[in-house]
Amino acid sequence: MDPTPGNDDADAAQVPLPGTRSTFSLDINGTARTVTLDHRTTVLDALREHLGLTGAKKGCDHGQCGACTVLVDGRRANSCLLFAVAQEGARITTVEGLADGDRLHPVQAAFLERDALQCGYCTPGQICSAVGMLGEAADGFPSHVTPPTATTVPEGPAALGAEEIRERMSGNLCRCGAYPHIVRAIEDVAP
Amino acid sequence: MSQAPQPPGAPVVRREGREKVTGTARYAAEHAPPGCLYGWIVPATVPGGVVTATRTADALAVPGVHTVLTPDNAPRLEDPDDPILSVLQDDRVPHRGWPVALVLAESLEAARAGAAAVRVEYRTTGHDVVLTGDHPGLYTPEQANGGHPAVRERGDAEAAFASAPVRIDATYTLGGLHNHPMEPHASTARWADGHLTVHDSSQGSTTVRDSLARALGIDKDHITVISEHVGGGFGSKGTPRPQVVLASMAARHTGRPVQLSLPRRYMAAVVGHRAPTVQRVRLGADREGVLASVSHEIVTHTSTVAEFVEQAAVPARVMYASPHSRTAHRVTALDVPTPSWMRAPGEASGMYALESAMDELACALGIDPVELRLRNEPAAEPDSGRPFSSRNLAACLNDGARRFGWHERDPGPAARQEGPWLLGTGVASATYPVLVSKSAASAHAAPDGSYRIGVNATDIGTGARTVLAQIAASVLGTPPENVRIDIGNSDLPAGSVAGGSSGTASWGSAVHKAATGLAGRLAGRTGPLPPEGVTVTADTARETGEESPYARHAFGAHFVEVAVDSLTGEVRVRRMLGVFAAGHILNSRTARSQFIGGMVMGLGMALTEGSTMDPVFGDFTENDLASYHVPSCADVPDIQAHWIDEDDPHLNPMGSKGIGEIGIVGTAAAIGNAVRHATGARLRTLPLTPDKLLPYLP
Ligand code: FES
Ligand code: FES
């Protein structure tokens, strides 16, 4: 556990201890947000407790479940493992930033149509992860189950069959067991 | 969605689905009111004893820490209805992980640092945490969970077993299991003008409100508990857990709103688990496989805080005909966390053993395991003699066998190989009782032609809102879109808990009754409705107070194909197919998700999940999601769930049986039976991890 003395929230109107808090700007869903945060605050807690964005979920706070998945510069990341103060300048996209107004992102629409959720607690992480994963595959990133190629250089987009999707989505746990429908939903959207 | 009334069972899309996929659905820890304090529990670090001193000065010196609650300054509770809620009341430590202090701070970071700075001293008293089949503390309880008698006997099971020509006598050992819903238990509590409002991650907020009223010694009317969206529970949120009492106490003590979430690693000790069991099954049969004697004897543990007895022998009272039977539970109270409900308590563990034993019998006799089960179909419920309201186990087995291609199966063990993979198939039956509890509902017709239903149901992921709207809409002859549904708030008409697969039956019966009453009132009217509309309320006290003359259960059959890596011992499930008979299915889309979800959890029980009690430290070793392996996407194949529509007039107005739990029942046995078929190795303990299998592989 981190024993560093911290300070309380900015709202509590106490004098910040020098060196334990910073004021900085985060780019969240295309909007610059200025925050003053404890250096120990993760991106996940910044979103949930300071910015009113509770879409990213806290399932473990230890990088074990994927419920907190967001996109950082377009790549998926567990936001519970990122210190907010270190993300100045990064573009962070949360589940709240995926839809275009009332029009759902295709992955969101597919999840709804395939009933790829039950309690919904893992769902924002699954959806952000799927969006990030589709980008990785498009960029030719191989996975553990991708057949080896002659070179280590990506040879164009990776094809996404069910096995590839299962492998690439295994960082996001779903205790409701929605996996078969999650895989179908992503298959619907995959090129 | 169309604008016409929908037929029963229509695959109506989940009502709150859009909120869930856009991240706007709010859960219990997502309501932080202004000025909120954050709580962090300090768990006991010894497995038994008393706290001799709690030093809080260092914690209080952490910037941002507001208060540290300990038994010395925590508000007194009246005698709570569940002793696990009696937190911070005395210095006793009944098990490791028991909360001994609560730190409240202005931020999560400060709360966590503060909790780390609390110094607790203990006097330990020694501990006993390991369940064994011959533990000296074993006793026969009055009852097992669910109010079932601990022991039932029919005929002379011992003598009939001794004289049976074919006998199976096998002992199955299951370790602890944890529910681990993805949303950790959380509560946000605030007091305003003498009224306590709590957002709680719970499976039934009426129950939470009533428990809080009793524990805090205040009137129910002064408490509102809201469980609008709940991130799973699987039984672990079925009754209030300590966090809701702690948050409420802390809010009262500090005069500030308090948000308290359990860190994942603390959950294993605080929110319940499926108790380990040692299960001896004895089956005595003739050479045609007809059972003469069925004995199922359970040994399990509970804590010293409360008695909870996993009713694992109960399904043997339902499943197969036999003139002689003995089903019995014994339990010992250890210095362990208090066990509780985990999806299909009793049935999930008990059917693992019984359905594995049936497979052993089929192998011993050389009879097909589907056929063996068909030969032992009872005419009435074996234990009670009551007729079944409907029983379609045979139809599930036959339909599943046909869909799966079971009959092409070569019964010989360890006979199919594909590279390093040994292939096998297995089958097991499933059962789950039809339960129903009293609920109330209101139905309101507005002058604009729309309707509004109120019932304190909880949607823990089942699709309760959706199906209740469908039920009301079908009674009122209107499209479901025209029915607004309010659930998840204890100010609504009282609803029972989302547990025991009883939610839809319980709330749905009340909704059906209120909507029927409303339809009757509207039919008797002429002219426009008054501006305030028309409201009818109803409850099901009378209907649920009567005992049914029928034995009412859902049944099912699981078929599984596995591949076992002969080099590493890894088991991969290739195919899973379940067929269920659970009355009328009320929404095919959400029902399929529930069946599949149960089967996935059964796969975890079979292959990946287990909580080991550490004999020295006295806690569960696998206490986070890195060590407790819930199945991941790559573990789960495409799963098929099918059902047989049953027209059972003895259930409820919808003709439905519960579906939330039966998917997990029997799954682990089917997988174990398939592993035996693949490898020839009969393991009688779960999970089937490579270390257990390797010694048996070529
Ligand atoms: S909350 Fe970040 S991985 Fe679980
Ligand atoms: S939908 Fe409940 S955990 Fe995935």
Side-chain angles (χ1 to χ4, degrees):
Chain A
M1 229 172 258
D2 182 355
T4 312
N7 201 5
D8 49 5
D9 202 52
D11 313 336
Q14 293 189 16
V15 185
L17 285 184
T20 65
R21 297 167 73 81
S22 295
T23 299
F24 56 98
S25 170
L26 287 172
D27 178 343
I28 313 281
N29 297 328
T31 305
R33 307 278 301 260
T34 300
V35 288
T36 301
L37 292 176
D38 191 307
H39 294 165
R40 297 167 296 177
T41 304
T42 60
V43 170
L44 179 60
D45 286 335
L47 293 168
R48 290 171 61 81
E49 308 300 338
H50 300 269
L51 295 168
L53 292 170
T54 56
K57 303 302 181 201
K58 186 183 283 187
C60 69
D61 214 15
H62 281 61
Q64 300 168 349
C65 75
C68 63
T69 305
V70 299
L71 301 171
V72 179
D73 293 330
R75 296 289 185 224
R76 50 192 172 155
N78 287 335
S79 62
C80 71
L81 296 183
L82 302 176
F83 287 119
V85 69
Q87 297 304 317
E88 182 155 31
R91 280 181 303 111
I92 295 171
T93 307
T94 71
V95 70
E96 290 97 336
L98 292 177
D100 179 5
D102 275 351
R103 222 181 58 241
L104 295 178
H105 186 283
V107 174
Q108 291 173 313
F111 268 62
L112 196 52
E113 179 53 35
R114 288 289 184 179
D115 205 40
L117 61 135
Q118 294 183 50
C119 78
Y121 201 76
C122 73
T123 309
Q126 302 277 1
I127 289 173
C128 287
S129 187
V131 171
M133 182 274 278
L134 291 168
E136 291 161 18
D139 292 346
F141 286 26
S143 83
H144 174 65
V145 299
T146 310
T149 55
T151 68
T152 51
V153 183
E155 296 173 356
L160 288 178
E163 195 195 359
E164 279 279 2
I165 294 172
R166 285 188 197 113
E167 175 63 29
R168 290 168 187 262
M169 289 300 292
S170 279
N172 291 81
L173 299 177
C174 174
R175 190 55 159 158
C176 296
Y179 300 126
H181 290 170
I182 290 171
V183 173
R184 293 252 174 91
I186 297 173
E187 280 180 313
D188 288 351
V189 181
Chain B
M1 277 186 269
S2 74
Q3 287 297 314
Q6 298 270 352
V12 176
V13 173
R14 213 174 270 277
R15 285 208 153 198
E16 73 291 356
R18 195 177 173 94
E19 283 101 298
K20 287 179 174 172
V21 300
T22 54
T24 57
R26 296 228 169 199
Y27 297 75
E30 298 172 356
H31 298 271
C36 177
L37 289 171
Y38 293 89
W40 203 283
I41 286 176
V42 178
T45 54
V46 298
V50 293
V51 173
T52 53
T54 307
R55 305 194 194 284
T56 59
D58 289 356
L60 288 166
V62 171
V65 169
H66 179 284
T67 302
V68 182
L69 284 183
T70 70
D72 292 335
N73 61 348
R76 296 297 90 194
L77 297 174
E78 316 267 318
D79 188 25
D81 47 9
D82 182 346
I84 70 158
L85 303 179
S86 203
V87 280
L88 305 187
Q89 299 301 296
D90 56 37
D91 57 9
R92 181 171 168 246
V93 176
H95 59 77
R96 189 182 281 268
W98 179 263
V100 293
L102 177 69
V103 173
L104 297 153
E106 306 288 347
S107 69
L108 275 171
E109 295 80 19
R112 179 177 176 161
V118 174
R119 304 280 168 252
V120 185
E121 292 165 21
Y122 304 91
R123 188 175 68 244
T124 55
T125 48
H127 61 278
D128 178 6
V129 295
V130 178
L131 176 70
T132 54
D134 57 355
H135 192 278
L138 286 169
Y139 65 94
T140 301
E142 290 274 305
Q143 290 185 333
N145 177 49
H148 295 282
V151 181
R152 291 286 293 169
E153 287 177 319
R154 193 167 70 243
D156 186 343
E158 200 76 42
F161 177 74
S163 61
V166 183
R167 291 192 291 269
I168 298 296
D169 181 350
T171 299
Y172 303 89
T173 309
L174 294 182
L177 291 168
H178 276 93
N179 315 55
H180 279 312
M182 287 312 299
E183 181 203 18
H185 294 58
S187 305
T188 306
R190 62 179 184 275
W191 292 81
D193 306 323
H195 194 94
L196 171 66
T197 303
V198 191
H199 288 271
D200 188 38
S201 183
S202 137
Q203 292 173 229
S205 59
T206 299
T207 309
V208 176
R209 178 200 62 190
D210 294 355
S211 268
L212 279 180
R214 177 165 161 175
L216 301 171
I218 56 176
D219 198 274
K220 286 178 195 180
D221 294 346
H222 295 148
I223 304 179
T224 301
V225 181
I226 302 164
S227 301
E228 188 188 2
H229 297 290
V230 181
F234 314 109
S236 71
K237 298 172 182 172
T239 54
R241 295 301 194 250
Q243 91 283 345
V244 70
V245 173
L246 289 167
S248 303
M249 278 164 75
R252 190 184 227 183
H253 182 83
T254 59
R256 302 260 301 265
V258 169
Q259 176 178 312
L260 174 60
S261 293
L262 293 182
R264 177 65 60 182
R265 283 191 303 139
Y266 296 1
M267 288 170 64
V270 181
V271 304
H273 61 276
R274 192 194 301 287
T277 47
V278 181
Q279 307 185 41
R280 184 178 185 196
V281 182
R282 282 176 290 171
L283 303 177
D286 68 15
R287 300 214 177 275
E288 271 61 62
V290 176
L291 289 165
S293 179
V294 173
S295 293
H296 196 165
E297 290 156 317
I298 311 298
V299 163
T300 187
H301 79 201
T302 187
S303 72
T304 62
V305 180
E307 183 186 83
F308 179 92
V309 182
E310 180 89 11
Q311 75 275 29
V314 167
R317 299 172 184 172
V318 176
M319 285 306 296
Y320 300 114
S322 72
H324 304 277
S325 175
R326 175 180 155 79
T327 46
H329 303 81
R330 286 183 304 149
V331 65
T332 181
L334 302 179
D335 303 310
V336 295
T338 306
S340 183
W341 300 329
M342 177 165 163
R343 205 171 200 167
E347 277 75 19
S349 3
M351 287 290 276
Y352 164 66
L354 182 64
E355 291 301 295
S356 299
M358 285 297 279
D359 200 66
E360 298 206 34
L361 180 62
C363 293
L365 287 161
I367 295 178
D368 178 79
V370 170
E371 174 60 25
L372 177 71
R373 287 169 172 86
L374 297 176
R375 286 185 194 176
N376 288 288
E377 271 287 283
E381 186 178 54
D383 183 65
S384 68
R386 283 182 300 180
F388 286 103
S389 66
S390 55
R391 175 176 168 119
N392 282 299
L393 174 59
C396 292
L397 286 163
N398 286 324
D399 188 52
R402 181 181 60 76
R403 290 175 183 274
F404 188 79
W406 178 261
H407 294 301
E408 286 96 72
R409 179 183 195 252
D410 162 11
R416 292 143 303 274
Q417 198 149 359
E418 204 183 272
W421 297 98
L422 305 174
L423 308 183
T425 52
V427 63
S429 306
T431 185
Y432 197 80
V434 171
L435 303 175
V436 63
S437 297
K438 183 181 100 166
S439 285
S442 64
H444 172 82
D448 67 0
S450 68
Y451 300 94
R452 184 166 182 164
I453 299 292
V455 54
N456 191 20
T458 319
D459 195 329
I460 56 173
T462 55
R465 281 180 186 82
T466 315
V467 82
L468 292 173
Q470 288 176 270
I471 291 167
S474 74
V475 173
L476 296 164
T478 191
E481 300 79 26
N482 198 30
V483 180
R484 171 174 166 160
I485 185 121
D486 294 323
I487 66 166
N489 185 316
S490 67
D491 292 346
L492 292 165
S496 59
V497 72
S501 297
S502 68
T504 300
S506 305
W507 313 316
S509 295
V511 167
H512 195 282
K513 191 169 174 181
T516 303
L518 178 64
R521 287 268 293 281
L522 297 177
R525 285 185 58 93
T526 50
L529 296 186
E532 71 280 10
V534 177
T535 304
V536 171
T537 58
D539 76 49
T540 57
R542 184 176 53 76
E543 293 85 344
T544 54
E546 298 161 356
E547 218 198 311
S548 172
Y550 294 94
R552 301 186 296 182
H553 305 270
F555 291 92
H558 295 279
F559 293 81
V560 172
E561 179 180 349
V562 300
V564 181
D565 188 325
S566 57
L567 302 175
T568 67
E570 181 189 11
V571 180
R572 303 284 305 167
V573 173
R574 289 199 168 176
R575 284 195 293 153
M576 273 174 108
L577 183 151
V579 182
F580 303 95
H584 290 314
I585 296 302
L586 304 178
N587 180 324
S588 58
R589 180 189 302 257
T590 50
R592 177 165 283 113
S593 290
Q594 281 212 74
F595 286 129
I596 290 174
M599 292 166 77
V600 170
M601 204 179 274
L603 184 155
M605 177 180 174
L607 298 182
T608 61
E609 294 179 35
S611 288
T612 317
M613 179 51 67
D614 184 306
V616 177
F617 285 92
D619 63 354
F620 291 109
T621 310
E622 300 87 352
N623 61 7
D624 63 12
L625 295 172
S627 51
Y628 187 95
H629 295 158
V630 313
S632 74
C633 198
D635 295 320
V636 178
D638 196 34
I639 295 179
Q640 288 189 45
H642 302 277
W643 48 85
I644 285 161
D645 188 57
E646 286 181 316
D647 209 356
D648 182 337
H650 309 297
L651 299 171
N652 57 46
M654 298 78 68
S656 62
K657 298 177 179 174
I659 58 171
E661 286 162 278
I662 192 165
I664 194 179
V665 180
T667 319
I671 293 173
N673 296 341
V675 168
R676 194 269 170 190
H677 186 229
T679 63
R682 173 76 64 188
L683 301 183
R684 299 188 180 89
T685 181
L686 298 179
L688 300 173
T689 42
D691 54 311
K692 298 204 184 82
L693 268 162
L694 268 178
Y696 300 95
L697 296 175

PDB file of all heavy atoms in Angstrom, chain B residues 53-72:
ATOM      1  N   ALA B  53      -5.728  -3.580  21.117  1.00  0.00           N
ATOM      2  CA  ALA B  53      -5.528  -2.136  21.007  1.00  0.00           C
ATOM      3  C   ALA B  53      -5.641  -1.728  19.544  1.00  0.00           C
ATOM      4  O   ALA B  53      -5.186  -2.452  18.663  1.00  0.00           O
ATOM      5  CB  ALA B  53      -4.142  -1.742  21.523  1.00  0.00           C
ATOM      6  N   THR B  54      -6.258  -0.596  19.309  1.00  0.00           N
ATOM      7  CA  THR B  54      -6.295  -0.025  17.969  1.00  0.00           C
ATOM      8  C   THR B  54      -5.710   1.374  18.067  1.00  0.00           C
ATOM      9  O   THR B  54      -6.271   2.233  18.746  1.00  0.00           O
ATOM     10  CB  THR B  54      -7.743   0.037  17.436  1.00  0.00           C
ATOM     11  OG1 THR B  54      -8.322  -1.250  17.554  1.00  0.00           O
ATOM     12  CG2 THR B  54      -7.767   0.464  15.980  1.00  0.00           C
ATOM     13  N   ARG B  55      -4.564   1.583  17.436  1.00  0.00           N
ATOM     14  CA  ARG B  55      -3.893   2.880  17.524  1.00  0.00           C
ATOM     15  C   ARG B  55      -4.178   3.660  16.246  1.00  0.00           C
ATOM     16  O   ARG B  55      -3.773   3.253  15.154  1.00  0.00           O
ATOM     17  CB  ARG B  55      -2.400   2.680  17.729  1.00  0.00           C
ATOM     18  CG  ARG B  55      -2.110   1.792  18.943  1.00  0.00           C
ATOM     19  CD  ARG B  55      -0.688   1.826  19.399  1.00  0.00           C
ATOM     20  NE  ARG B  55      -0.435   0.721  20.327  1.00  0.00           N
ATOM     21  CZ  ARG B  55      -0.835   0.699  21.598  1.00  0.00           C
ATOM     22  NH1 ARG B  55      -1.495   1.721  22.103  1.00  0.00           N
ATOM     23  NH2 ARG B  55      -0.581  -0.354  22.358  1.00  0.00           N
ATOM     24  N   THR B  56      -4.860   4.767  16.408  1.00  0.00           N
ATOM     25  CA  THR B  56      -5.349   5.503  15.243  1.00  0.00           C
ATOM     26  C   THR B  56      -4.628   6.824  15.018  1.00  0.00           C
ATOM     27  O   THR B  56      -4.917   7.514  14.052  1.00  0.00           O
ATOM     28  CB  THR B  56      -6.862   5.787  15.392  1.00  0.00           C
ATOM     29  OG1 THR B  56      -7.065   6.539  16.592  1.00  0.00           O
ATOM     30  CG2 THR B  56      -7.647   4.492  15.487  1.00  0.00           C
ATOM     31  N   ALA B  57      -3.690   7.167  15.904  1.00  0.00           N
ATOM     32  CA  ALA B  57      -3.068   8.499  15.799  1.00  0.00           C
ATOM     33  C   ALA B  57      -2.380   8.702  14.451  1.00  0.00           C
ATOM     34  O   ALA B  57      -2.533   9.755  13.811  1.00  0.00           O
ATOM     35  CB  ALA B  57      -2.076   8.697  16.942  1.00  0.00           C
ATOM     36  N   ASP B  58      -1.630   7.709  14.014  1.00  0.00           N
ATOM     37  CA  ASP B  58      -0.924   7.857  12.732  1.00  0.00           C
ATOM     38  C   ASP B  58      -1.917   8.021  11.579  1.00  0.00           C
ATOM     39  O   ASP B  58      -1.679   8.778  10.635  1.00  0.00           O
ATOM     40  CB  ASP B  58      -0.059   6.618  12.444  1.00  0.00           C
ATOM     41  CG  ASP B  58       1.147   6.544  13.362  1.00  0.00           C
ATOM     42  OD1 ASP B  58       1.342   7.495  14.151  1.00  0.00           O
ATOM     43  OD2 ASP B  58       1.866   5.522  13.292  1.00  0.00           O
ATOM     44  N   ALA B  59      -2.992   7.271  11.660  1.00  0.00           N
ATOM     45  CA  ALA B  59      -3.994   7.363  10.591  1.00  0.00           C
ATOM     46  C   ALA B  59      -4.641   8.733  10.589  1.00  0.00           C
ATOM     47  O   ALA B  59      -4.824   9.355   9.530  1.00  0.00           O
ATOM     48  CB  ALA B  59      -5.046   6.273  10.770  1.00  0.00           C
ATOM     49  N   LEU B  60      -4.968   9.223  11.771  1.00  0.00           N
ATOM     50  CA  LEU B  60      -5.619  10.534  11.851  1.00  0.00           C
ATOM     51  C   LEU B  60      -4.671  11.653  11.410  1.00  0.00           C
ATOM     52  O   LEU B  60      -5.117  12.728  11.002  1.00  0.00           O
ATOM     53  CB  LEU B  60      -6.117  10.780  13.282  1.00  0.00           C
ATOM     54  CG  LEU B  60      -7.336   9.923  13.662  1.00  0.00           C
ATOM     55  CD1 LEU B  60      -7.570   9.942  15.167  1.00  0.00           C
ATOM     56  CD2 LEU B  60      -8.588  10.396  12.918  1.00  0.00           C
ATOM     57  N   ALA B  61      -3.375  11.375  11.470  1.00  0.00           N
ATOM     58  CA  ALA B  61      -2.399  12.379  11.033  1.00  0.00           C
ATOM     59  C   ALA B  61      -2.233  12.401   9.520  1.00  0.00           C
ATOM     60  O   ALA B  61      -1.609  13.307   8.970  1.00  0.00           O
ATOM     61  CB  ALA B  61      -1.048  12.109  11.700  1.00  0.00           C
ATOM     62  N   VAL B  62      -2.770  11.417   8.835  1.00  0.00           N
ATOM     63  CA  VAL B  62      -2.664  11.412   7.369  1.00  0.00           C
ATOM     64  C   VAL B  62      -3.542  12.540   6.836  1.00  0.00           C
ATOM     65  O   VAL B  62      -4.723  12.613   7.166  1.00  0.00           O
ATOM     66  CB  VAL B  62      -3.126  10.050   6.800  1.00  0.00           C
ATOM     67  CG1 VAL B  62      -3.238  10.111   5.285  1.00  0.00           C
ATOM     68  CG2 VAL B  62      -2.172   8.944   7.227  1.00  0.00           C
ATOM     69  N   PRO B  63      -2.975  13.445   6.049  1.00  0.00           N
ATOM     70  CA  PRO B  63      -3.784  14.562   5.549  1.00  0.00           C
ATOM     71  C   PRO B  63      -5.019  14.045   4.811  1.00  0.00           C
ATOM     72  O   PRO B  63      -4.908  13.139   3.980  1.00  0.00           O
ATOM     73  CB  PRO B  63      -2.835  15.293   4.600  1.00  0.00           C
ATOM     74  CG  PRO B  63      -1.465  14.920   5.070  1.00  0.00           C
ATOM     75  CD  PRO B  63      -1.572  13.521   5.589  1.00  0.00           C
ATOM     76  N   GLY B  64      -6.157  14.592   5.161  1.00  0.00           N
ATOM     77  CA  GLY B  64      -7.400  14.186   4.512  1.00  0.00           C
ATOM     78  C   GLY B  64      -8.196  13.166   5.290  1.00  0.00           C
ATOM     79  O   GLY B  64      -9.369  12.969   5.008  1.00  0.00           O
ATOM     80  N   VAL B  65      -7.564  12.500   6.263  1.00  0.00           N
ATOM     81  CA  VAL B  65      -8.338  11.539   7.053  1.00  0.00           C
ATOM     82  C   VAL B  65      -9.220  12.313   8.022  1.00  0.00           C
ATOM     83  O   VAL B  65      -8.779  13.229   8.710  1.00  0.00           O
ATOM     84  CB  VAL B  65      -7.425  10.548   7.801  1.00  0.00           C
ATOM     85  CG1 VAL B  65      -8.228   9.733   8.825  1.00  0.00           C
ATOM     86  CG2 VAL B  65      -6.758   9.603   6.794  1.00  0.00           C
ATOM     87  N   HIS B  66     -10.475  11.962   8.066  1.00  0.00           N
ATOM     88  CA  HIS B  66     -11.468  12.693   8.851  1.00  0.00           C
ATOM     89  C   HIS B  66     -11.729  11.981  10.176  1.00  0.00           C
ATOM     90  O   HIS B  66     -11.721  12.595  11.242  1.00  0.00           O
ATOM     91  CB  HIS B  66     -12.731  12.800   8.001  1.00  0.00           C
ATOM     92  CG  HIS B  66     -13.886  13.512   8.646  1.00  0.00           C
ATOM     93  ND1 HIS B  66     -14.677  12.939   9.614  1.00  0.00           N
ATOM     94  CD2 HIS B  66     -14.390  14.762   8.423  1.00  0.00           C
ATOM     95  CE1 HIS B  66     -15.619  13.807   9.970  1.00  0.00           C
ATOM     96  NE2 HIS B  66     -15.457  14.918   9.267  1.00  0.00           N
ATOM     97  N   THR B  67     -11.945  10.681  10.127  1.00  0.00           N
ATOM     98  CA  THR B  67     -12.357   9.929  11.310  1.00  0.00           C
ATOM     99  C   THR B  67     -11.892   8.493  11.142  1.00  0.00           C
ATOM    100  O   THR B  67     -11.819   7.994  10.017  1.00  0.00           O
ATOM    101  CB  THR B  67     -13.904   9.904  11.411  1.00  0.00           C
ATOM    102  OG1 THR B  67     -14.388  11.237  11.458  1.00  0.00           O
ATOM    103  CG2 THR B  67     -14.398   9.145  12.637  1.00  0.00           C
ATOM    104  N   VAL B  68     -11.587   7.847  12.241  1.00  0.00           N
ATOM    105  CA  VAL B  68     -11.402   6.395  12.223  1.00  0.00           C
ATOM    106  C   VAL B  68     -12.431   5.803  13.185  1.00  0.00           C
ATOM    107  O   VAL B  68     -12.439   6.136  14.370  1.00  0.00           O
ATOM    108  CB  VAL B  68      -9.978   5.991  12.658  1.00  0.00           C
ATOM    109  CG1 VAL B  68      -9.832   4.464  12.583  1.00  0.00           C
ATOM    110  CG2 VAL B  68      -8.930   6.669  11.779  1.00  0.00           C
ATOM    111  N   LEU B  69     -13.291   4.982  12.648  1.00  0.00           N
ATOM    112  CA  LEU B  69     -14.288   4.318  13.489  1.00  0.00           C
ATOM    113  C   LEU B  69     -13.740   2.980  13.958  1.00  0.00           C
ATOM    114  O   LEU B  69     -13.205   2.201  13.162  1.00  0.00           O
ATOM    115  CB  LEU B  69     -15.578   4.065  12.710  1.00  0.00           C
ATOM    116  CG  LEU B  69     -16.520   5.241  12.455  1.00  0.00           C
ATOM    117  CD1 LEU B  69     -17.768   4.736  11.726  1.00  0.00           C
ATOM    118  CD2 LEU B  69     -16.910   5.933  13.754  1.00  0.00           C
ATOM    119  N   THR B  70     -13.868   2.747  15.253  1.00  0.00           N
ATOM    120  CA  THR B  70     -13.476   1.460  15.842  1.00  0.00           C
ATOM    121  C   THR B  70     -14.600   1.083  16.805  1.00  0.00           C
ATOM    122  O   THR B  70     -15.525   1.881  17.022  1.00  0.00           O
ATOM    123  CB  THR B  70     -12.171   1.617  16.642  1.00  0.00           C
ATOM    124  OG1 THR B  70     -12.451   2.396  17.806  1.00  0.00           O
ATOM    125  CG2 THR B  70     -11.075   2.279  15.823  1.00  0.00           C
ATOM    126  N   PRO B  71     -14.528  -0.076  17.420  1.00  0.00           N
ATOM    127  CA  PRO B  71     -15.583  -0.411  18.388  1.00  0.00           C
ATOM    128  C   PRO B  71     -15.688   0.627  19.514  1.00  0.00           C
ATOM    129  O   PRO B  71     -16.734   0.742  20.154  1.00  0.00           O
ATOM    130  CB  PRO B  71     -15.155  -1.780  18.911  1.00  0.00           C
ATOM    131  CG  PRO B  71     -14.420  -2.392  17.773  1.00  0.00           C
ATOM    132  CD  PRO B  71     -13.673  -1.246  17.138  1.00  0.00           C
ATOM    133  N   ASP B  72     -14.636   1.405  19.749  1.00  0.00           N
ATOM    134  CA  ASP B  72     -14.693   2.393  20.828  1.00  0.00           C
ATOM    135  C   ASP B  72     -15.598   3.578  20.517  1.00  0.00           C
ATOM    136  O   ASP B  72     -16.156   4.188  21.419  1.00  0.00           O
ATOM    137  CB  ASP B  72     -13.282   2.947  21.114  1.00  0.00           C
ATOM    138  CG  ASP B  72     -12.386   1.885  21.717  1.00  0.00           C
ATOM    139  OD1 ASP B  72     -12.940   0.940  22.327  1.00  0.00           O
ATOM    140  OD2 ASP B  72     -11.153   1.989  21.555  1.00  0.00           O
TER     141      ASP B  72
END
